[in-house]
Amino acid sequence: MKSPLLSLPGAVPAEGVDEGVAAHYGELFREQRALADGAGFVDLSHRGVVTVTGSDRLSWLHLLLTQHVSELPAGQATEALILSANGHIEHALYLVDDGETIWAHVEPGTQDALIAYLESMKFFYRVEVADRTDEFAVVHLPAGSIAPAPEGVAVRETAHGRDLFLPRTDLESYAAENGPAAGLLAYEALRVEAHRPRLGFETDHRTIPHELGWIGTAVHLQKGCYRGQETVARVQNLGKPPRRLVFLHLDGSEVHLPVAGTPLQLAADGAEGRKLGFITTAVRHHELGPIALGLIKRNVPVDAELVAGDIAAAQEVVVQP
């Protein structure tokens, strides 16, 4: 779904899964600095929007999600996962309940599969699931922003900022009143800086929540009965995850960034060495320079010097080995 804000001056379209919104508006670092200072907004209108209504909505979702939501207070934001039977991550939901409706935004293009799964699990529960992507657009306001939320708009507020579920018909007028706009590259740079994983970027077909630090933020360990819960409990109590998320400072003298999937190896072994992991997201940060997130084998020493292809990569621990 192409955003009307791509008509703003300097807008350069994003590619891949983020197609449909602006990667930047001509000044990447200025846009990052504005967000870091609590100014502007990010157009996330390409993300899927799903709502759940009905008197059983919280108790029903509590049975399906990794998060404890049966008593979720109105207005309190949370995030949750849906796992496969083997405990692998299938969906990530960023949600809030406004007292009558649960609003969730999800990765672009994943809403159809999510809704199909939810519909298959309705049984006798009094709930209605709807795809609202055509009607509502997600707009992100950074932490510290004093921009008001329009009356009647569902707001999901976290330490990282506020997500507004804005009617699509209001997107252009909201942008005109609450600029400057920042592109997705600026948003992603701050996400990587904050060590926040993203479905489809830091995950693959075998990722479990422990590997990404999603235990606690998206997975509640004091609840059970959801699909994949046995794997979560077994790894938490008896084992260790096979991989761990790592934050990387990349060599700033290199012109190019490593693409997603670039192998991570020991610097001493070079490009011919054993693959220890791979880059998941690499970005340019306005203060830190080139940085990245990656997944590496759990037993890689935390002080090991790595290379991503031919680029030196110094690691910081995100998930303890």
Side-chain angles (χ1 to χ4, degrees):
M1 187 173 294
K2 186 176 179 180
S3 171
L5 303 191
L6 284 172
S7 63
L8 292 178
V12 175
E15 299 178 346
V17 69
D18 291 321
E19 183 179 4
V21 296
H24 62 85
Y25 296 91
E27 298 184 70
L28 173 60
F29 290 153
R30 181 195 62 77
E31 294 165 28
Q32 283 188 35
R33 286 191 290 270
L35 291 180
D37 291 340
F41 70 92
V42 183
D43 177 11
L44 299 180
S45 61
H46 63 316
R47 291 184 65 81
V49 175
V50 176
T51 60
V52 182
T53 55
S55 58
D56 292 336
R57 64 188 183 282
L58 290 173
S59 59
W60 174 66
L61 278 179
H62 185 78
L63 301 174
L64 306 177
L65 303 181
T66 57
Q67 188 58 273
H68 196 299
V69 297
S70 61
E71 300 172 0
L72 184 68
Q76 180 175 307
T78 191
E79 55 189 81
L81 309 175
I82 289 178
L83 308 180
S84 72
N86 293 322
H88 300 139
I89 300 169
E90 292 189 344
H91 294 281
L93 296 82
Y94 301 84
L95 55 92
V96 67
D97 185 86
D98 67 4
E100 297 181 352
T101 301
I102 291 178
W103 295 81
H105 64 80
V106 298
E107 286 297 322
T110 65
Q111 63 267 27
D112 288 347
L114 171 62
I115 290 172
Y117 171 68
L118 294 178
E119 287 286 351
S120 73
M121 301 299 291
K122 285 173 63 172
F123 303 116
F124 55 85
Y125 289 95
R126 292 165 293 182
V127 293
E128 293 295 331
V129 182
D131 182 354
R132 309 294 296 277
T133 310
D134 289 345
E135 304 167 69
F136 291 90
V138 179
V139 171
H140 175 76
L141 302 177
S145 170
I146 60 173
E151 186 176 354
V153 168
V155 179
R156 181 180 176 274
E157 184 168 4
T158 71
H160 303 290
R162 288 176 291 159
D163 299 330
L164 311 183
F165 293 87
L166 194 71
R168 283 193 179 272
T169 53
D170 297 343
L171 187 56
E172 288 182 278
S173 60
Y174 185 86
E177 297 173 2
N178 296 279
L184 201 67
L185 289 181
Y187 179 83
E188 284 288 280
L190 299 185
R191 176 182 72 81
V192 171
E193 178 192 15
H195 308 165
R196 294 163 56 207
R198 183 178 173 189
L199 183 77
F201 286 63
E202 279 62 57
T203 68
D204 57 22
H205 66 284
R206 60 192 181 97
T207 305
I208 60 175
H210 303 74
E211 296 177 320
L212 303 185
W214 253 329
I215 301 297
T217 59
V219 178
H220 196 290
L221 293 175
Q222 303 306 314
K223 62 159 292 193
C225 300
Y226 58 88
R227 189 174 68 176
Q229 186 267 341
E230 289 185 3
T231 297
V232 170
R234 185 167 61 250
V235 173
Q236 184 69 20
N237 297 320
L238 301 175
K240 299 181 185 298
R243 302 178 297 181
R244 61 183 176 90
L245 185 69
V246 65
F247 177 76
L248 301 167
H249 292 272
L250 305 176
D251 181 0
S253 65
E254 297 292 338
V255 175
H256 64 281
L257 290 172
V259 299
T262 299
L264 288 166
Q265 296 149 306
L266 290 176
D269 296 339
E272 302 303 319
R274 182 168 60 98
K275 180 179 176 181
L276 303 175
F278 56 92
I279 293 288
T280 58
T281 306
V283 296
R284 297 191 187 278
H285 191 276
H286 69 287
E287 290 183 341
L288 301 177
I291 56 176
L293 293 174
L295 272 178
I296 61 175
K297 295 181 184 295
R298 175 181 54 82
N299 58 3
V300 175
V302 297
D303 58 351
E305 296 183 5
L306 306 176
V307 290
D310 58 353
I311 301 175
Q315 61 168 314
E316 286 186 12
V317 175
V318 176
V319 174
Q320 291 289 340

